[in-house]
Amino acid sequence: MRTAITGGTVVTAIETVLADVLIEGEIVVGVVHPDSEMTRTFAEGADRVIDAQGKFVVPGGIDAHTHLQATGQIAPVLETFETGTVASAFGGTTTIIDFAFMSGDERLPDGYERHRENAAGECAVDYGFHIMVANVDEQSPKEMDLLVREGVTSFKMFMAYPGRVYSDDGQILRMMQQAAENGSLIQMHAENGIAIDVLREQAAERGDIEPLFHGVTRTPILEAEAVHRAIALSEVAGSPLYIVHLSSSNALEEVVAARDRGLNVFAETCPQYLFLDLSDLDRPDFEGSKFVCSPPLRPQEHQDHLWRGLRTNDLQVVATDHCPFCWEQREIGRNDFRSIPNGLPTLEHRMELMFQGAVAEGRLSLNRWVDMCSRAPAKMFGLYPRKGTIAPGSDADIVVFDPNSPHTLSVETHHMNVDYSCYEGMRMTGQVEKVLLRGKVVVDGTEYLGTKGDGQYLPRDICSNLL
Ligand code: URP
Ligand code: ZN
Ligand code: ZN
């Protein structure tokens, strides 16, 4: 199957060029000048020519932080591998890296194997896994080595959620030492969960039980403290460190200071911390519960700092932390914010939201948009250059993006399996128009053209992003 995407502007993290993209089967074989001989002969013999006049042609997005079919919380995530990845395809994200988790007294490889079975044959986009680590003991570092050899090269640890997935500093240091040996990347949920639990309990005792108090008790000071401590532990271990879902200017300052000292410290933020804020948790009639995630939404003044961090590359990656819960599941915590399941639905909207905030509103360049949504996560998580760019030899995961197609985000039109939108009514300037997964057109406007199981499992290399 030969496909030519003609007349568009190809945008990668590095350059913006008027070029045609030539695809043979699943692979890009050329990015060439529109008037070249190669384009002419290729287009003549092509099975399909996609006209991208006036559109951007960008590498498929990579969302490095999703929780599909997760069951570790108060309520199960009802977004399945099938529903979540179809929504992902509609949003121009052609690769996800999902979190496999250990339940009960499972070992590290058990969670991975269960998650792989659940995902097999279900996914609409390509997928890999990180592991959520709990119950660290003397076996855990060896299990980590085993998984790295299988292509699972990143491990999330928690300084939050005592009694569930929390690890203490000794457990974290031990895993970081092993990561320094085997080349894997420790991802940190950095919030001081022990101190936060005291504040949560005190709030509930006072009768402060509304969703807003979820935000108020998880103060940014305790996010920054945990980031600082995680950096210190990784420096001692000599391992790189990646902070997930960084939400506050306080935490960002710690990352900036570490990077200024030349440490291999990286961080991601999420659209919710750039577009939503603490006041959303205070919406009346328990509506605020729709916005409960951890770390929580912050006062609006944090947002400029995060945009600046993206501009200076102190924040490298934008991922969604997609972890949706329906309204009925939120209701579990109506009488106590501590019982509201944590996580927001964003997977489908990341590319368009980030185009809006970055490019349409003039904060960042087109290339930076592609970098933080595609190339940086590919490099960070061992998928580059197969993914994250449009170049000869890379997978033909491609989005034809219309920069001038105003539309409104809404539960009425999204494909995520959740009965509200945290972005309801938000106006977007640009829109995903066509999506190719390894050369196959899987989305064309509002039509889904893929087949269940199109997505392939991706064993990953180690991070290729070190300073
Ligand atoms: O609230 C969140 N972020 N839920 C998902 C689990 C996590 O900590 O990433
Ligand atoms: Zn987390
Ligand atoms: Zn998460």
Side-chain angles (χ1 to χ4, degrees), residues 190-398:
E191 288 186 293
N192 183 331
I194 303 274
I196 284 170
D197 271 7
V198 172
L199 299 177
R200 281 159 68 83
E201 213 164 291
Q202 289 170 346
E205 275 164 16
R206 282 196 306 271
D208 292 337
I209 52 159
E210 293 81 19
L212 177 67
F213 294 97
H214 171 82
V216 171
T217 53
R218 302 187 88 91
T219 159
I221 299 169
L222 292 175
E223 184 185 23
E225 183 278 327
V227 169
H228 184 91
R229 190 156 33 97
I231 291 167
L233 293 169
S234 71
E235 189 172 4
V236 169
S239 68
L241 173 67
Y242 178 91
I243 307 292
V244 290
H245 48 45
L246 186 142
S247 68
S248 65
S249 60
N250 313 55
L252 178 58
E253 275 170 26
E254 298 292 342
V255 170
V256 172
R259 289 176 62 80
D260 286 351
R261 290 200 293 120
L263 296 178
N264 274 309
V265 172
F266 308 100
E268 85 188 7
T269 191
C270 311
Q272 51 269 35
Y273 303 120
L274 298 162
F275 291 90
L276 307 172
D277 65 60
L278 186 67
S279 67
D280 289 304
L281 280 164
D282 202 19
R283 292 197 194 188
D285 303 325
F286 198 57
E287 289 275 317
S289 67
K290 294 176 179 171
F291 298 86
V292 167
C293 59
S294 297
L297 303 180
R298 301 301 188 187
Q300 204 185 9
E301 57 266 25
H302 289 260
Q303 291 176 355
D304 280 349
H305 295 266
L306 298 181
W307 281 112
R308 192 178 133 76
L310 289 168
R311 191 181 175 92
T312 57
N313 198 36
D314 287 306
L315 293 169
Q316 295 76 38
V317 172
V318 174
T320 59
D321 194 7
H322 180 72
C323 188
F325 294 98
C326 294
W327 175 243
E328 199 184 347
Q329 297 177 302
R330 298 290 193 187
E331 291 263 28
I332 301 168
R334 192 174 265 279
N335 297 319
D336 185 344
F337 71 86
R338 294 174 299 173
S339 301
I340 303 170
N342 284 211
L344 304 192
T346 306
L347 175 54
E348 187 169 349
H349 300 319
R350 184 185 63 128
M351 298 290 284
E352 290 179 2
L353 279 168
M354 294 314 296
F355 179 84
Q356 184 63 29
V359 183
E361 292 173 15
R363 292 183 180 91
L364 304 170
S365 72
L366 260 177
N367 308 95
R368 186 76 187 118
W369 170 55
V370 171
D371 196 14
M372 63 200 182
C373 291
S374 185
R375 178 179 177 257
K379 293 195 79 172
M380 195 70 71
F381 296 108
L383 292 170
Y384 190 81
R386 178 176 172 189
K387 308 286 191 190
T389 191
I390 300 177
S394 64
D395 279 358
D397 296 345
I398 293 173

Side-chain angles (χ1 to χ4, degrees), residues 92-108:
T93 290
T94 49
T95 298
I96 60 161
I97 313 179
D98 199 75
F99 282 90
F101 53 92
M102 303 158 65
S103 359
D105 49 12
E106 276 185 339
R107 309 297 317 175
L108 260 71

